[in-house]
Amino acid sequence: MASLVSSPFTIPKSKIENLSSISQKHRLLHSFLPKKPNSKNTQKKFKCAAIVGNGLFTQTTQEVRRVVPENPMGLPTVKIVYVVLEAQYQSSLTAAVQELNRTGELASYEVVGYLVEELRDVNAYKSFCKDLEDANIFIGSLIFVEELALKVKAAVEKERDRMDAVLVFPSMPEVMRLNKLGSFSMAQLGQSKSPFFQLFKKNKSSSSAGFADSMLKLVQTLPKVLKYLPSDKAQDARMYILSLQFWLGGSPDNLGNFLKMVSGSYVPALKGMKMEYSDPVLFLDTGIWHPLAPRMFDDVKEYLNWYDTRRDTNESLKSNDAPIIGLVLQRSHIVTGDESHYVAVIMEMEARGAKVIPIFAGGLDFSGPVEKYFIDPVTKKPMINSVVSLTGFALVGGPARQDHPRAIEALMKLDVPYIVALPLVFQTTEEWLNSTLGLHPIQVALQVALPELDGGMEPIIFAGRDPRTGKSHALHKRVEQLCTRAINWGKLRRKTKTEKRVAITVFSFPPDKGNVGTAAYLNVFASIYSVLKELKNDGYFVENLPETAEALIEDVIHDKEAQFNSPNLNIAYKMGVREYQKLTTYSTALEENWGKPPGNLNSDGENLLVYGKQYGNVFIGVQPTFGYEGDPMRLLFSKSASPHHGFAAYYSYVEKIFKADAVLHFGTHGSLEFMPGKQVGMSDACFPDSLIGNIPNVYYYAANNPSEATIAKRRSYANTISYLTPPAENAGLYKGLKQLGELISSYQSLKDSGRGAQIVSSIVSTARQCNLDKDVDLPEDGAELSASERDLVVGKVYSKIMEIESRLLPCGLHVIGEPPSAMEAVATLVNIAALDRPEEGIFSLPTILSQTLGREIEDVYRGSDKGILKDVELLKQITEASRGAVYSFVEQSTNEKGQVVGVGNKLTSILGFGINEPWVKYLSDTKFYRADREKLRILFQFLGECLKLIVADNELGSLKQALEGKYVEPGPGGDPIRNPKVLPTGKNIHALDPQSIPTTAAMQSAMVVVDRLLERQKMDNGGKYPETVALVLWGTDNIKTYGESLAQVMWMIGVKPVADTIGRVNRVEIVSLEELGRPRVDVVVNCSGVFRDLFINQMNLLDRAVKMVAELDEPEDMNYVRKHALEQAKTLGVEVREAASRIFSNASGSYSSNVNLAVENSTWNDEKQLQDMYLSRKSFAFDSDAPGVGMTEKRKIFEMALSTADATFQNLDSSEISLTDVSHYFDSDPTNLVQGLRKDGKKPSAYIADTTTANAQVRTLSETVRLDARTKLLNPKWYEGMLSSGYEGVREIEKRLTNTVGWSATSGQVDNWVYEEANTTFVQDEEMLNRLMSTNPNSFRKLVQTFLEANGRGYWETSEENIERLKQLYSEVEDKIEGVDR
């Protein structure tokens, strides 16, 4: 919220040209506080602030870059038009042209420049085309955004033959082909063997430094060679290379001589005149630069000698104890004189007592200079304590192609924390301040997402841009924070372990007694205990550590009494109001939402209370919650509230009283990173930025959740370290389901005897008892069936119980530092083996086995889904053979204790043995004995590598590295089954390049799922296609599947993504109705807040696609997007493009519909209230026509679009998370809401696509909820696995039941028997009841309360006795808790 309104911001006219004027920059420094965020005035004011000019991010204009000569002497005029990525050339070029016009005797010069992002604006583009009409020379540089590159190409192509010279420096091939200088041309680029083409080849060897660096090498050598070649062609090529030298030289002198050379040689009016120009002044390609140094240095020893002889510094800077920070700079900023922001960082570092080594490179590969200048050539140890890149680019490759492995290799040698801060490129300071989104999406993709793949952290914006001169200027508060944080990361390297102080922060969510230490898949206290023991052994000062993890729980939460507003948690500190206000500079900004401190959250009425317990130099604290969970009115607000005073006091305590050197957030996930503020690129008034302050933040995050980990990275500056999810197992069969399995086996052996019919009748009645009649069409009792009908009934029941049996579920909870044993890894390996990996030449095990029998596995899957008995049986045999083969392989690689031993050596011996290969031996006794040996060998080699990764353990190791101020190797997050590169855990998690999705493979998968979804809906809907599907896009799902659900939206409306030459997807093309073979289906897309933050470029792409489709001239019965958009435009009196808004999410900086919070905290009256929450929080649309505006409320369009939905749809893409595991899924479900909005009041069909296995399924929501209940909540294997974790396990059971109630509330798709069976399992079983009550009485109380609530709200009909028993239990457990309290 704080970022919604900014104070007026003016940029001083004074240029910052030398060090003495650094003090002037203080005028630029701003701090702005939130005005009333929920009042009507603010809303209006905010909108005025954001929607200015053209609605785009970049609102500067070319006119500030236009120089028109006075030309009193009537000299020939040369007109130059240029397009650049960044503005650093603006002031240098302007100065060069002004100087030429002042002294010119032969020609006068007119120049106008455009930033490539400005060309999105229709008027700017028109003006650009007009300027080209009479231009002599066009110059372009670093044009790497495809849609804009194509615009530049289209405009320049028209005038290319007429112009005297076209010069394009490193850009996309399409633009490079425009180059023309006399007889020199690059028109053949991409087809010829020219040296320039070779630079673009995709598969460069790892030693090649990328395009720009190859270009630099050419620049250095070619002019010398070409000088002696006689032909014009050679001279023109030489001129091009000299031009590039001048351009890279960047100073006004170099650029002036460049213009004289090109115009004198190629402008006809100046031919024959002797235009004198000097050769380019060349700067070092790489080196060390300091604003006070007499020159650039090429040798770090020389630089340090100069540094130690400086007279302007105090002695502390020269001492050996001073921290040393490495800075990485872009040479173009230095040579063009646009370096005041660099100077500010250097001066601030030195003012804070840190030495600096500022290095630069002329190209886009900084890995060489990093190794050359930051690592001591003799000791091979780093000379610096942390490194800050001020370029914003990936370490190798800049905005073009990156080489992340090469960057990681260099950074691992360096082994210090790597921070990538960034200057604003496409926005002026004011545009950024006024934007609720924060940083421009293209800059997020290029300068935040890509450096993260190198392991970069802390994307702090340290410099703004002056709209008039285009020059960068320091943002002082940001620079102060950047420097302090960099020095603090460096201190972790220098401090001894005994003096380091660490604050471990645990979460308590929802704020209910019994919930302290919540984290996805993690046994939090057992893990903390394991971490503390390890730290103690490693030399950290940890004292009074209890004997066991259970005792640790008691210590921190006192009798597990964990209610957020009760003093029964252990109080670590009482903070008086005065002290709080003094320590928390932003506390007044919280009063709008929470009144004066201390308030009533985390307070005793006089003081603010910090909960937790200190053990020597380690503090375990409980992060307060959002604070508004229990208030239905606050939950209805469309934007989120600020943190409350107790929340702010916690972080003030950690930083300023406990004085933590680092904070360790323990598990997925807390609330800090989801506090209001800009999405990416925060200002000092954004709450996550204020809260984390200057403390280095290390964050344990589940490996399968890269999207929320990325939010934590960007908004709380976290070094995110991945932990493993618990090992998966097959759900298996139990009780009646197990009996069914046995009956089916009997049927198969006896079906042709007289007993076949009798067994089928038992199968049908048992299936009914197991409530399978909702999933399978069962015949009436006593119905006469033919043999083939009996086979079909048995086949369908068999298929259903096989689906339940083979479903994967994570068993128990993970403990940090305890990797799974090899045997626990079997189920995961079987599932890794079940996927074909064509890009790696690996066939899946089911594919290999089915081909042995002359079948294709897809056919077997389809047959089994239909209930064809022989296919169900074959699929079962394939599944069992796969498990057996993998088991035999793993068994060979383990010792008696079940640990994997020397997999590497074992593998070599196994793989060399041919007939003795364990899987071959196993399969020789099955019907698959003829399976292809070579394919099996390749597969098992891959599985061997995966096994090594699964059992590797680096979670504690990486934590220790981070706390010692070392570099943590980055790695992707995601689903280890789809992408084993996620393993081993203990990596600094990153997402992916947001512009790389959807991939071609994702599009293929999406087409299959959409076609199945539409078929299923036609089947359930009288043969009619759905006109509209309402669906959800999740951040993590799209990272794991490389954009499958994104591609599903595209296929529904009938468009395909188009990748550019660099492989980025920024365009779509229409698929013709003929090719589509069906109508275009309308969509209402609800993007999660996390998807919005990570994939705003893709939201832009989808919105453009939907609007394109709405404007197609097609019959309305074949284009439902157009049909509905026209109807809505007419009703609302708006343009069709606006009526076709279909891409919705929360307001910027807000997350979730809050339906989950209301359900988890039982703070809702009726379903209508939940639906209002959804509508008020989720009705913000993204508009590709005005992307700079951010999310705009369009509730009426949202409601009208939803009212046409015939189906709702979500995706499940990995076995670890299903519908009742987390509250996000029902929080985003609009099924009941759509029914209320539809004119006919008809309930839409609700579907879930399940792509967790190779056999993708589309099920109804109620089928999926039943499958989930059978495999998790009601499955002894699952709940016993959970209860083995003790305290946390009871909470996990309660959470599943609460989430089931959530589904009843939003969709009404939960069968009565689910609640009835759950009650039988957990309440009517006395032994179970006592276990739950004694292990975690608070969570058990919530479980009982949830049963009563399900009944009270009409979701569960049951006997009076059951309800009486539950009420009685509730009183008993209340008394037990009260008694414990006394």
Side-chain angles (χ1 to χ4, degrees):
M1 305 237 70
S3 59
L4 298 187
V5 183
S6 79
S7 60
F9 181 85
T10 51
I11 289 164
K13 290 200 169 74
S14 61
K15 282 190 193 167
I16 298 158
E17 273 156 1
N18 54 35
L19 288 180
S20 63
S21 65
I22 278 196
S23 57
Q24 296 173 336
K25 287 188 206 146
H26 284 286
R27 269 190 252 168
L28 297 175
L29 310 182
H30 60 283
S31 174
F32 53 104
L33 291 172
K35 308 292 187 292
K36 293 187 180 293
N38 290 319
S39 70
K40 283 177 184 160
N41 300 346
T42 313
Q43 294 270 322
K44 280 186 187 138
K45 190 169 172 192
F46 149 55
K47 282 190 176 165
C48 299
I51 307 175
V52 278
N54 53 15
L56 300 175
F57 280 88
T58 307
Q59 291 162 15
T60 47
T61 136
Q62 69 281 354
E63 296 312 314
V64 298
R65 283 171 236 103
R66 192 182 293 278
V67 177
V68 179
E70 289 172 5
N71 197 8
M73 295 159 71
L75 297 171
T77 298
V78 177
K79 182 173 178 184
I80 299 139
V81 178
Y82 67 91
V83 174
V84 287
L85 174 74
E86 300 184 67
Q88 71 259 47
Y89 274 85
Q90 176 181 333
S91 55
S92 203
L93 255 173
T94 303
V97 168
Q98 284 168 341
E99 181 61 16
L100 287 177
N101 286 336
R102 196 177 62 75
T103 58
E105 292 148 20
L106 301 175
S108 67
Y109 290 85
E110 178 184 344
V111 67
V112 61
Y114 293 78
L115 298 183
V116 70
E117 274 295 311
E118 289 168 352
L119 300 180
R120 287 183 194 279
D121 182 58
V122 181
N123 295 326
Y125 187 64
K126 275 186 194 152
S127 156
F128 172 59
C129 295
K130 191 155 181 46
D131 272 325
L132 286 171
E133 285 170 12
D134 59 348
N136 300 85
I137 299 169
F138 170 76
I139 303 167
S141 174
L142 294 185
I143 301 168
F144 282 111
V145 179
E146 187 196 30
E147 50 187 311
L148 300 174
L150 295 174
K151 280 182 140 185
V152 171
K153 175 179 178 250
V156 175
E157 241 169 9
K158 280 189 205 140
E159 304 292 335
R160 180 176 183 266
D161 293 343
R162 183 197 56 72
M163 284 195 277
D164 303 322
V166 176
L167 289 149
V168 182
F169 305 126
S171 294
M172 295 188 73
E174 294 88 328
V175 197
M176 292 294 288
R177 289 190 194 110
L178 297 168
N179 267 305
K180 163 188 112 154
L181 212 52
S183 59
F184 171 80
S185 156
M186 283 197 191
Q188 298 306 305
L189 186 69
Q191 293 122 43
S192 71
K193 294 268 186 243
S194 75
F196 292 101
F197 167 57
Q198 296 304 319
L199 302 176
F200 278 107
K201 276 219 159 140
K202 267 196 175 168
N203 303 324
K204 298 206 209 80
S205 70
S206 59
S207 64
S208 87
F211 179 75
D213 291 278
S214 316
M215 215 51 159
L216 279 178
K217 293 191 178 83
L218 279 179
V219 168
Q220 287 151 9
T221 53
L222 274 181
K224 297 169 189 148
V225 179
L226 295 171
K227 200 169 189 174
Y228 303 107
L229 294 178
S231 75
D232 286 347
K233 216 167 191 169
Q235 288 318 305
D236 290 332
R238 177 172 179 267
M239 284 290 194
Y240 175 78
I241 297 290
L242 277 174
S243 301
L244 182 55
Q245 279 189 341
F246 276 126
W247 183 258
L248 293 173
S251 61
D253 280 355
N254 271 336
L255 296 177
N257 282 312
F258 160 53
L259 295 178
K260 285 200 281 189
M261 176 187 85
V262 175
S263 55
S265 309
Y266 297 101
V267 174
L270 303 180
K271 279 269 173 75
M273 298 185 189
K274 198 81 179 106
M275 187 78 82
E276 296 290 333
Y277 63 89
S278 319
D279 279 345
V281 176
L282 298 180
F283 298 94
L284 288 176
D285 272 338
T286 65
I288 305 173
W289 171 85
H290 190 292
L292 296 178
R295 62 188 173 85
M296 292 175 171
F297 295 92
D298 190 30
D299 182 302
V300 71
K301 289 281 188 294
E302 284 181 31
Y303 169 76
L304 291 173
N305 287 341
W306 166 79
Y307 205 94
D308 290 341
T309 58
R310 284 172 62 185
R311 292 186 181 165
D312 63 313
T313 61
N314 58 34
E315 285 310 304
S316 65
L317 259 195
K318 294 176 185 170
S319 91
N320 290 337
D321 290 339
I324 306 180
I325 309 295
L327 300 176
V328 180
L329 318 175
Q330 236 177 310
R331 193 185 71 166
S332 57
H333 277 281
I334 299 169
V335 298
T336 56
D338 180 18
E339 79 304 58
S340 69
H341 54 318
Y342 289 170
V343 173
V345 173
I346 291 169
M347 295 296 123
E348 184 65 42
M349 287 285 189
E350 294 186 341
R352 289 177 182 273
K355 282 185 186 178
V356 287
I357 303 180
I359 67 168
F360 64 83
L364 297 171
D365 179 359
F366 297 94
S367 61
V370 158
E371 291 182 38
K372 181 175 174 186
Y373 302 119
F374 289 159
I375 295 175
D376 187 307
V378 183
T379 64
K380 298 285 182 257
K381 291 206 170 126
M383 300 167 70
I384 55 173
N385 305 121
S386 61
V387 63
V388 183
S389 169
L390 300 178
T391 67
F393 286 121
L395 194 72
V396 182
R401 289 207 180 87
Q402 296 74 38
D403 186 344
H404 299 294
R406 172 111 166 270
I408 291 166
E409 187 189 343
L411 291 165
M412 286 190 59
K413 281 185 198 164
L414 189 59
D415 201 21
V416 299
Y418 174 54
I419 291 169
V420 183
L422 41 152
L424 291 174
V425 174
F426 304 124
Q427 294 151 289
T428 62
T429 309
E430 197 166 5
E431 285 162 3
W432 164 67
L433 280 179
N434 284 338
S435 166
T436 54
L437 294 174
L439 197 58
H440 187 299
I442 297 283
Q443 195 173 354
V444 173
L446 292 179
Q447 298 202 320
V448 180
L450 295 177
E452 282 170 353
L453 305 187
D454 295 342
M457 313 184 287
E458 313 219 352
I460 294 172
I461 293 178
F462 74 99
R465 195 161 60 73
D466 184 313
R468 205 169 38 82
T469 63
K471 278 198 159 189
S472 298
H473 52 234
L475 300 169
H476 255 244
K477 280 200 171 175
R478 307 276 75 209
V479 167
E480 281 171 23
Q481 187 182 26
L482 172 65
C483 295
T484 313
R485 291 190 64 82
I487 291 168
N488 285 350
W489 273 110
K491 276 183 185 163
L492 287 174
R493 200 176 177 85
R494 301 156 51 79
K495 267 194 168 181
T496 64
K497 289 172 185 169
T498 41
E499 54 181 349
K500 259 181 230 173
R501 296 172 75 79
V502 180
I504 295 178
T505 298
V506 299
F507 313 120
S508 170
F509 203 83
D512 177 73
K513 299 178 179 184
N515 274 345
V516 168
T518 25
Y521 318 105
L522 196 61
N523 187 332
V524 172
F525 280 103
S527 295
I528 291 178
Y529 194 69
S530 151
V531 164
L532 290 180
K533 281 200 309 197
E534 183 68 25
L535 292 181
K536 188 173 184 173
N537 294 342
D538 206 32
Y540 287 78
F541 177 54
V542 180
E543 65 175 0
N544 301 329
L545 189 59
E547 290 297 304
T548 63
E550 287 70 27
L552 184 69
I553 299 177
E554 292 286 346
D555 246 14
V556 174
I557 68 174
H558 266 345
D559 305 322
K560 309 190 176 68
E561 179 63 26
Q563 190 183 26
F564 69 120
N565 58 3
S566 102
N568 297 342
L569 274 173
N570 193 58
I571 296 170
Y573 190 77
K574 293 187 175 185
M575 189 181 286
V577 170
R578 272 211 165 132
E579 181 183 27
Y580 162 71
Q581 288 170 324
K582 185 176 154 207
L583 295 177
T584 316
T585 52
Y586 54 93
S587 64
T588 49
L590 315 183
E591 291 178 11
E592 160 64 24
N593 277 300
W594 300 101
K596 295 274 184 203
N600 57 4
L601 296 169
N602 289 65
S603 107
D604 58 9
E606 288 177 26
N607 304 295
L608 287 148
L609 306 178
V610 176
Y611 294 125
K613 179 94 177 172
Q614 193 167 331
Y615 299 94
N617 281 345
V618 177
F619 167 65
I620 300 177
V622 182
Q623 185 189 68
T625 58
F626 282 110
Y628 51 74
E629 311 73 6
D631 180 345
M633 287 319 294
R634 278 185 196 272
L635 291 176
L636 274 165
F637 288 157
S638 63
K639 300 193 180 79
S640 301
S642 68
H644 56 81
H645 295 296
F647 203 101
Y650 177 82
Y651 282 94
S652 294
Y653 167 79
V654 166
E655 182 175 5
K656 294 169 179 163
I657 293 170
F658 176 69
K659 294 193 163 43
D661 292 298
V663 60
L664 168 59
H665 285 99
F666 219 96
T668 307
H669 58 74
S671 317
L672 166 68
E673 61 269 33
F674 295 101
M675 287 295 174
K678 296 183 188 303
Q679 283 175 206
V680 186
M682 292 181 294
S683 71
D684 45 275
C686 296
F687 290 119
D689 183 276
S690 307
L691 289 160
I692 198 64
N694 294 317
I695 325 170
N697 181 9
V698 184
Y699 208 140
Y700 267 135
Y701 234 90
N704 68 350
N705 194 343
S707 61
E708 289 177 319
T710 302
I711 303 291
K713 246 183 166 43
R714 295 177 186 176
R715 301 186 88 240
S716 69
Y717 309 138
N719 185 347
T720 46
I721 296 177
S722 63
Y723 62 82
L724 203 55
T725 48
E729 288 183 39
N730 297 102
L733 298 175
Y734 55 94
K735 298 182 185 164
L737 296 170
K738 194 169 185 181
Q739 204 179 330
L740 264 178
E742 288 158 4
L743 283 169
I744 289 168
S745 298
S746 310
Y747 174 76
Q748 285 182 293
S749 53
L750 300 171
K751 66 177 184 175
D752 299 327
S753 73
R755 295 193 48 213
Q758 191 189 341
I759 298 174
V760 168
S761 133
S762 301
I763 287 173
V764 169
S765 63
T766 312
R768 277 216 170 81
Q769 285 162 17
C770 294
N771 300 294
L772 286 176
D773 48 335
K774 294 269 176 55
D775 302 278
V776 179
D777 247 347
L778 296 175
E780 291 301 314
D781 285 342
E784 286 291 319
L785 301 175
S786 68
S788 63
E789 285 170 336
R790 287 202 296 267
D791 275 5
L792 191 59
V793 169
V794 174
K796 284 188 168 168
V797 173
Y798 195 4
S799 174
K800 182 50 72 179
I801 68 168
M802 280 299 299
E803 175 181 73
I804 295 167
E805 189 280 337
S806 60
R807 198 159 175 83
L808 272 197
L809 32 115
C811 275
L813 296 168
H814 178 64
V815 176
I816 298 280
E818 288 185 16
S821 69
M823 285 311 162
E824 288 173 327
V826 168
T828 305
L829 278 181
V830 170
N831 278 272
I832 290 175
L835 295 180
D836 285 310
R837 298 173 197 273
E839 65 289 353
E840 296 168 64
I842 296 170
F843 289 88
S844 74
L845 200 43
T847 298
I848 298 170
L849 298 181
S850 59
Q851 284 173 352
T852 311
L853 306 178
R855 296 285 304 274
E856 284 304 322
I857 190 66
E858 269 304 309
D859 299 338
V860 181
Y861 287 149
R862 293 290 72 78
S864 174
D865 292 347
K866 288 179 185 146
I868 297 165
L869 189 56
K870 65 175 185 13
D871 284 348
V872 183
E873 179 58 24
L874 176 57
L875 184 56
K876 183 181 185 198
Q877 290 166 348
I878 289 173
T879 307
E880 287 179 348
S882 299
R883 289 177 193 169
V886 171
Y887 186 90
S888 66
F889 160 63
V890 172
E891 205 175 23
Q892 286 276 309
S893 319
T894 54
N895 62 15
E896 313 74 70
K897 289 184 184 164
Q899 298 306 127
V900 173
V901 282
V903 172
N905 316 334
K906 271 281 170 66
L907 272 182
T908 346
S909 61
I910 294 173
L911 291 165
F913 273 154
I915 189 99
N916 292 336
E917 290 169 348
W919 53 89
V920 172
K921 252 162 92 179
Y922 175 85
L923 291 173
S924 64
D925 294 335
T926 68
K927 58 162 44 170
F928 307 107
Y929 61 92
R930 295 176 60 189
D932 186 312
R933 293 275 175 84
E934 189 47 34
K935 286 179 181 170
L936 284 171
R937 185 175 287 129
I938 292 169
L939 172 64
F940 276 91
Q941 227 161 347
F942 173 68
L943 293 180
E945 292 305 311
C946 295
L947 179 59
K948 276 196 283 192
L949 297 177
I950 294 171
V951 299
D953 171 28
N954 200 26
E955 293 168 358
L956 280 173
S958 296
L959 170 66
K960 291 196 298 191
Q961 279 175 290
L963 293 178
E964 284 162 30
K966 293 180 176 173
Y967 174 76
V968 177
E969 184 184 352
D975 176 6
I977 289 169
R978 283 173 191 261
N979 180 11
K981 291 194 183 81
V982 168
L983 305 168
T985 45
K987 288 181 179 165
N988 177 357
I989 313 182
H990 58 69
L992 40 72
D993 175 356
Q995 297 180 92
S996 65
I997 65 169
T999 59
T1000 315
M1003 193 69 202
Q1004 293 306 122
S1005 305
M1007 288 157 78
V1008 171
V1009 169
V1010 168
D1011 293 347
R1012 283 188 196 164
L1013 169 73
L1014 298 179
E1015 275 312 306
R1016 178 79 202 248
Q1017 170 67 2
K1018 270 174 73 181
M1019 207 167 74
D1020 298 351
N1021 195 31
K1024 289 199 304 224
Y1025 280 105
E1027 292 201 4
T1028 304
V1029 175
L1031 49 93
V1032 185
L1033 290 182
W1034 298 104
T1036 284
D1037 297 16
N1038 277 288
I1039 294 170
K1040 287 179 186 170
T1041 63
Y1042 297 95
E1044 272 180 30
S1045 45
L1046 186 65
Q1048 288 165 359
V1049 179
M1050 293 178 178
W1051 191 239
M1052 283 179 196
I1053 63 173
V1055 298
K1056 272 186 176 167
V1058 182
D1060 65 17
T1061 41
I1062 307 174
R1064 294 188 186 146
V1065 180
N1066 284 311
R1067 274 191 315 136
V1068 293
E1069 64 184 17
I1070 298 289
V1071 177
S1072 69
L1073 285 172
E1074 291 74 33
E1075 187 187 334
L1076 201 57
R1078 58 166 171 81
R1080 301 185 194 280
V1081 175
D1082 197 1
V1083 289
V1084 188
V1085 183
N1086 160 17
C1087 301
S1088 74
V1090 173
F1091 182 92
R1092 173 205 61 205
D1093 286 6
L1094 299 192
F1095 295 114
I1096 197 110
N1097 292 299
Q1098 269 56 24
M1099 287 171 73
N1100 189 10
L1101 191 66
L1102 283 181
D1103 188 62
R1104 281 184 3 231
V1106 173
K1107 286 172 177 166
M1108 246 161 91
V1109 169
E1111 291 177 325
L1112 290 174
D1113 185 10
E1114 290 177 343
E1116 288 181 24
D1117 62 343
M1118 290 303 286
N1119 183 337
Y1120 297 134
V1121 183
R1122 179 166 178 75
K1123 175 186 172 182
H1124 298 150
L1126 288 170
E1127 287 166 5
Q1128 288 151 12
K1130 193 174 168 191
T1131 310
L1132 296 172
V1134 295
E1135 294 294 315
V1136 170
R1137 279 183 80 77
E1138 186 175 346
S1141 296
R1142 295 290 184 270
I1143 314 302
F1144 294 91
S1145 185
N1146 296 73
S1148 301
S1150 286
Y1151 301 84
S1152 103
S1153 71
N1154 283 353
V1155 168
N1156 57 348
L1157 296 180
V1159 168
E1160 285 164 343
N1161 294 279
S1162 304
T1163 45
W1164 54 291
N1165 303 325
D1166 53 23
E1167 290 177 10
K1168 171 83 176 66
Q1169 192 181 37
L1170 296 180
Q1171 291 163 17
D1172 282 345
M1173 281 175 201
Y1174 185 96
L1175 287 171
S1176 74
R1177 303 226 357 132
K1178 284 289 182 184
S1179 54
F1180 290 78
F1182 184 83
D1183 182 0
S1184 56
D1185 295 334
V1189 175
M1191 308 304 296
T1192 317
E1193 193 159 11
K1194 292 189 180 170
R1195 181 156 169 172
K1196 199 71 208 132
I1197 295 177
F1198 186 48
E1199 289 184 15
M1200 288 181 79
L1202 279 174
S1203 73
T1204 64
D1206 298 306
T1208 63
F1209 177 61
Q1210 294 203 47
N1211 283 282
L1212 287 178
D1213 59 80
S1214 73
S1215 53
E1216 297 121 334
I1217 306 184
S1218 194
L1219 290 189
T1220 55
D1221 292 329
V1222 290
S1223 57
H1224 302 66
Y1225 287 118
F1226 73 76
D1227 180 71
S1228 287
D1229 170 55
T1231 306
N1232 281 353
L1233 166 64
V1234 168
Q1235 181 178 10
L1237 292 171
R1238 281 182 66 104
K1239 290 193 181 102
D1240 58 8
K1242 184 179 161 215
K1243 189 167 219 164
S1245 310
Y1247 298 107
I1248 304 287
D1250 178 346
T1251 55
T1252 56
T1253 64
N1255 182 13
Q1257 300 283 341
V1258 174
R1259 300 187 185 92
T1260 63
L1261 174 56
S1262 55
E1263 283 168 356
T1264 313
V1265 171
R1266 288 195 289 273
L1267 180 61
D1268 228 30
R1270 288 181 177 122
T1271 50
K1272 295 220 169 123
L1273 186 63
L1274 306 175
N1275 183 355
K1277 195 174 201 177
W1278 180 82
Y1279 60 70
E1280 289 298 345
M1282 282 304 168
L1283 288 175
S1284 66
S1285 300
Y1287 166 79
E1288 267 115 345
V1290 183
R1291 181 175 64 225
E1292 292 294 324
I1293 293 169
E1294 175 270 305
K1295 192 168 91 178
R1296 297 306 180 294
L1297 187 70
T1298 301
N1299 291 342
T1300 305
V1301 171
W1303 281 110
S1304 289
T1306 63
S1307 71
Q1309 303 281 310
V1310 184
D1311 298 326
N1312 200 65
W1313 67 263
V1314 173
Y1315 293 114
E1316 195 64 38
E1317 293 275 314
N1319 182 55
T1320 307
T1321 305
F1322 300 112
V1323 177
Q1324 291 187 349
D1325 177 334
E1326 280 296 322
E1327 189 192 343
M1328 174 60 79
L1329 180 149
N1330 291 327
R1331 276 171 73 193
L1332 298 175
M1333 197 187 297
S1334 59
T1335 313
N1336 187 337
N1338 303 299
S1339 288
F1340 179 66
R1341 173 174 59 183
K1342 176 78 166 82
L1343 184 84
V1344 172
Q1345 180 192 322
T1346 305
F1347 276 121
L1348 287 168
E1349 188 181 350
N1351 173 260
R1353 293 190 187 277
Y1355 302 143
W1356 174 38
E1357 283 179 33
T1358 190
S1359 66
E1360 269 308 308
E1361 293 87 334
N1362 278 345
I1363 296 304
E1364 280 312 310
R1365 174 78 180 111
L1366 285 163
K1367 285 178 178 168
Q1368 181 195 344
L1369 265 177
Y1370 191 78
S1371 311
E1372 281 175 29
V1373 72
E1374 282 273 71
D1375 289 347
K1376 183 177 164 74
I1377 290 171
E1378 295 299 321
V1380 170
D1381 282 352
R1382 287 197 292 277

